[in-house]
Amino acid sequence: MTGAPASATGGSGATPVRGGKLGTAAVNQASLWNIANILTMIRLLLVPGFVMLLLADGGYDPAWRSFAWAAFAVAMITDLFDGHLARTYNLVTDFGKIADPIADKAIMGAALICLSWLGDLPWWITGVILFRELGITLMRFWVIRHAVIPASRGGKMKTLAQGTAVGMYVLALTGPLATFRFWVMMVAVVLTVVTGLDYVRQAVVARRKGLAAERVAALDAVALAMDPAAEAPVAAPAVAASTAAPAVAPTVGVPSAAPTAAAGNAGVDAAAVSGGEPLPGAVVGDPAEAER
């Protein structure tokens, strides 16, 4: 519907079934210009526009604040859809892995800093939230070699609470709603701290397990290098069977070559003694003839 070629959206040109998922051939060709990455780019482009709208006319015009809230809401909605589309249709790319968290932190960080600069939000709240988000981002790189920690239910609740609270602060609310948004922000701060500590715990445990597994693998490699025959018992039976195969005993009832040759020689000697005529009962040629 956008007029973009199939390759630009990560597909192969096949029309997806309504309500279904793309086929294997389509999802395996995810490119940079797929729908999930496009939504992430839109969210990145919304950041400067959101800041301009929020700070327009001194930052206290209700109309401009409403436009800023609309831009913030669109950014939050695209954050929900781009990840869902990437996982559902296998549109995960290296660009998306890097750009998606950057876009999330950029829109949230810009909103918090602008609100604190305008005096609407205490700086300590902005500091706590940004410290947690940046710290967890760095910790992901610290443990990514050992494990990938999935998003927990608490983390999703934290994101929802932060988005709701910041959105309410962007709007020029007064009276009871202004008081209510403060308590919503307190809930977001508590969830931010609790989920951050839980993530640190999971990251430390995952890193310890990863290091322990690496040590075990290193010890196994050293042991194998010192004793290369450690894997020999697996192939030994096959080798023994192949080497013993030629030394098979002759089958019962089948005469061997040696008796046949001896019998033939005996027949020749007997013929020589009798003047060229075989002796009675002498074995000449095939021993079976003697049996008849």
Side-chain angles (χ1 to χ4, degrees):
M1 293 192 301
T2 60
S7 60
T9 57
S12 59
T15 303
V17 180
R18 181 180 297 274
K21 298 181 180 180
L22 295 177
T24 304
V27 300
N28 288 338
Q29 299 179 10
S31 67
L32 175 64
W33 296 102
N34 62 64
I35 185 62
N37 287 346
I38 291 175
L39 291 176
T40 301
M41 295 177 193
I42 291 174
R43 191 160 71 256
L44 283 170
L45 294 176
L46 281 173
V47 174
F50 164 75
V51 172
M52 294 175 60
L53 292 172
L54 182 59
L55 301 179
D57 198 12
Y60 297 101
D61 189 323
W64 288 112
R65 295 282 286 258
S66 298
F67 289 130
W69 177 87
F72 182 80
V74 171
M76 291 294 100
I77 292 173
T78 58
D79 182 31
L80 296 176
F81 279 101
D82 63 355
H84 174 74
L85 291 173
R87 291 186 298 269
T88 302
Y89 296 105
N90 194 21
L91 300 177
V92 179
T93 61
D94 292 336
F95 172 81
K97 293 177 182 179
I98 298 174
D100 183 69
I102 292 177
D104 297 343
K105 305 302 182 293
I107 189 68
M108 185 61 66
L112 292 170
I113 292 174
C114 288
L115 289 172
S116 295
W117 186 75
L118 292 172
D120 293 343
L121 188 68
W123 277 106
W124 70 267
I125 293 178
T126 298
V128 168
I129 294 177
L130 291 183
F131 178 80
R132 186 269 189 194
E133 298 300 335
L134 295 177
I136 294 304
T137 300
L138 295 176
M139 187 159 289
R140 284 195 180 99
F141 291 102
W142 184 55
V143 301
I144 194 171
R145 186 166 62 93
H146 305 286
V148 176
I149 302 176
S152 62
R153 181 176 299 180
K156 296 177 181 178
M157 292 176 60
K158 179 269 302 180
T159 302
L160 178 61
Q162 283 184 0
T164 303
V166 171
M168 295 180 71
Y169 269 89
V170 171
L171 289 172
L173 300 178
T174 58
L177 289 178
T179 303
F180 177 70
R181 71 182 182 182
F182 173 79
W183 293 110
V184 175
M185 180 60 75
M186 290 300 99
V187 172
V189 170
V190 171
L191 289 174
T192 298
V193 174
V194 171
T195 56
L197 294 175
D198 180 65
Y199 190 94
V200 171
R201 178 190 63 81
Q202 295 184 58
V204 171
V205 172
R207 182 175 173 81
R208 287 178 178 174
K209 290 182 178 179
L211 292 175
E214 289 181 355
R215 284 194 293 268
V216 171
L219 291 175
D220 291 343
V222 171
L224 181 61
M226 296 178 62
D227 186 11
E231 295 182 350
V234 178
V239 175
S242 61
T243 55
V248 178
T251 306
V252 178
V254 179
S256 61
T260 304
N265 294 333
V268 173
D269 295 339
V273 173
S274 61
E277 294 294 330
L279 294 175
V283 180
V284 179
D286 191 352
E289 297 293 331
E291 295 179 0
R292 292 196 295 270

